[in-house]
Amino acid sequence: MKEAREGEERLAFDPADNDGPRVAFIGRIHTPWKPGDAPGNVAGARKRVAKEGGAFRIELAEGYQPGIKDLTVGQHIIVLYWMDQARRDLIVQTPRHADAPRGVFSLRSPNRPNPIAMSTVEIVSLDVEAGVIGIDALDCFDGTPVVDLKPWIATIDAPVA
Amino acid sequence: MKEAREGEERLAFDPADNDGPRVAFIGRIHTPWKPGDAPGNVAGARKRVAKEGGAFRIELAEGYQPGIKDLTVGQHIIVLYWMDQARRDLIVQTPRHADAPRGVFSLRSPNRPNPIAMSTVEIVSLDVEAGVIGIDALDCFDGTPVVDLKPWIATIDAPVA
């Protein structure tokens, strides 16, 4: 778990301690990345893949396979994943790329009250029976839990001018 | 809780029954919509707002206010919200707009193993001290819990051709 940096503010409570509903892990993401050697986001992951190569896949947990039967290779999906090594109490943070402390909801930091990360990726292979989806890239550590997959839809997901 | 329709398949277990981490509700969304009279997605909400008007705001729970201090009016953010009236066990569903049962991960249905909905919206007003964000529209029922807010970033959130 990361240390707090200067200028950072913590919540007076831990958001993990509450009586809210439980997240179900529907599968795991497999990537080449380990702690200390991971890109900062999916765009950084794509740059590294262009240089170094690398395979990325989502393996569903038992029972969830029928849920992917209507996805297609070439489709863009949104992956929601649970950053299980993140802190949940840093409400103001100083990322390395920022010159001042920033409110967590203006950042894409994995450290957030609900450590759900999301990226839009392309499906490059699909084995419905095995419950395995190959994707073009992702930034998380190998073994990160997945919580949802959604089709990307412009009228819901793109900014409306 | 909605009834299962013909052709729908249920998981052999309830994803709510697990030992995963708990979601923290960081606030509530206020909309004009009630069960039985809500649009199907944020695009539908915008159409109704154009005709009928309607105000939409996110009210943060106590303690989370510093997290929004660097957001700005006019910015597009992604709202993640927990559809607390949804079913979590429908792995194959027949939505009204579909002619055949579809795997849940190819749908934006609120009924999903982790009932997290997401839409990209525009900030129209901001009161950091009060923890209130006015947004242009949203499709959920009044009082729906929020679980995360993120800045929309093209290189992470738009499909890469």
Side-chain angles (χ1 to χ4, degrees):
Chain A
M1 191 171 281
K2 83 183 269 294
E3 290 297 304
R5 297 200 190 105
E6 188 161 342
E8 295 190 329
E9 291 175 29
R10 297 187 194 185
L11 291 167
F13 55 93
D14 184 345
D17 295 333
N18 73 82
D19 59 0
R22 290 187 192 273
V23 170
F25 293 160
I26 64 164
R28 298 270 170 181
I29 302 169
H30 294 284
T31 76
W33 318 127
K34 286 176 243 181
D37 180 38
N41 57 44
V42 70
R46 289 191 177 107
K47 280 183 196 158
R48 286 193 53 182
V49 170
K51 282 189 198 166
E52 307 164 28
F56 300 81
R57 69 185 190 283
I58 296 166
E59 294 193 0
L60 293 182
E62 192 55 39
Y64 292 107
Q65 292 89 337
I68 62 169
K69 74 181 181 67
D70 298 294
L71 295 176
T72 54
V73 172
Q75 184 175 4
H76 291 92
I77 56 170
I78 300 164
V79 183
L80 273 64
Y81 38 117
W82 188 269
M83 301 300 252
D84 54 359
Q85 305 194 31
R87 292 178 66 127
R88 299 180 62 171
D89 64 339
L90 288 178
I91 194 72
V92 173
Q93 306 178 24
T94 312
R96 284 199 188 82
H97 62 75
D99 53 4
R102 301 266 306 269
V104 64
F105 301 122
S106 65
L107 298 171
R108 295 295 287 248
S109 166
N111 302 291
R112 50 203 315 117
N114 293 295
I116 300 168
M118 50 171 284
S119 301
T120 299
V121 303
E122 184 178 346
I123 297 178
V124 298
S125 68
L126 188 66
D127 183 335
V128 175
E129 203 171 331
V132 178
I133 306 173
I135 54 175
D136 68 328
L138 212 51
D139 58 337
C140 58
F141 301 146
D142 186 48
T144 299
V146 195
V147 298
D148 203 5
L149 305 172
K150 298 180 189 295
W152 192 90
I153 297 177
T155 51
I156 300 175
D157 299 311
V160 171
Chain B
M1 188 171 283
K2 80 183 270 295
E3 289 296 304
R5 296 200 191 105
E6 187 160 345
E8 294 190 329
E9 293 175 29
R10 296 187 195 186
L11 291 166
F13 54 93
D14 184 344
D17 294 333
N18 75 82
D19 58 0
R22 290 188 192 274
V23 170
F25 293 159
I26 64 165
R28 299 270 170 180
I29 302 168
H30 294 285
T31 76
W33 318 127
K34 287 175 241 177
D37 181 37
N41 56 45
V42 69
R46 289 191 177 106
K47 279 184 196 159
R48 285 192 53 182
V49 170
K51 282 189 199 166
E52 307 164 27
F56 300 82
R57 69 185 191 282
I58 297 166
E59 294 193 359
L60 293 182
E62 192 55 38
Y64 292 107
Q65 293 88 339
I68 63 170
K69 74 183 182 65
D70 298 293
L71 295 176
T72 53
V73 172
Q75 184 176 4
H76 291 92
I77 57 170
I78 300 163
V79 183
L80 273 65
Y81 38 117
W82 189 268
M83 301 299 254
D84 55 358
Q85 304 195 32
R87 294 179 65 127
R88 298 180 63 171
D89 65 339
L90 288 179
I91 194 70
V92 173
Q93 304 178 26
T94 311
R96 285 200 187 81
H97 62 74
D99 53 5
R102 301 267 306 268
V104 64
F105 301 122
S106 65
L107 297 171
R108 295 295 287 250
S109 167
N111 301 291
R112 49 205 315 118
N114 293 295
I116 301 168
M118 50 172 284
S119 301
T120 299
V121 303
E122 182 177 349
I123 297 178
V124 299
S125 68
L126 187 66
D127 183 335
V128 175
E129 203 172 331
V132 178
I133 306 172
I135 56 176
D136 67 328
L138 213 52
D139 57 337
C140 58
F141 301 146
D142 186 47
T144 298
V146 196
V147 297
D148 203 5
L149 305 171
K150 299 178 188 295
W152 192 90
I153 298 178
T155 53
I156 300 175
D157 299 312
V160 171

